[in-house]
Amino acid sequence: MTLPPAVLAAIGADTGTDLALAVQDGALVATPVAKRKRRYTLAELLEGAEHLPALYADTAEALEGPPVGNEIG
């Protein structure tokens, strides 16, 4: 369904917004559907993190030694 930009703005929607359609008193009523927040699995969150242990090992020496600036610690 194509709606004019002014109508989308009036109902708080934008291009690509899902709408719930209902008939009330003989009128078609379109209401934006709130998108549910995506839930990620632990595997999805960790995807691509295989390199982190090597990165941590490569930068471990940065934690050694006295402060050289205005570090808090």
Side-chain angles (χ1 to χ4, degrees):
M1 172 186 316
T2 302
L3 299 174
V7 173
L8 289 174
I11 63 172
D14 199 358
T15 302
T17 300
D18 289 335
L19 300 174
L21 300 177
V23 177
Q24 294 178 352
D25 299 325
L28 182 62
V29 178
T31 308
V33 176
K35 290 187 178 183
R36 291 190 342 197
K37 218 173 173 185
R38 170 101 159 78
R39 294 188 57 97
Y40 294 93
T41 64
L42 181 59
E44 289 173 320
L45 292 172
L46 294 176
E47 192 172 302
E50 299 84 15
H51 69 284
L52 290 179
L55 177 65
Y56 296 151
D58 290 345
T59 58
E61 69 273 357
L63 298 175
E64 300 170 4
V68 294
N70 294 322
E71 295 92 343
I72 297 174

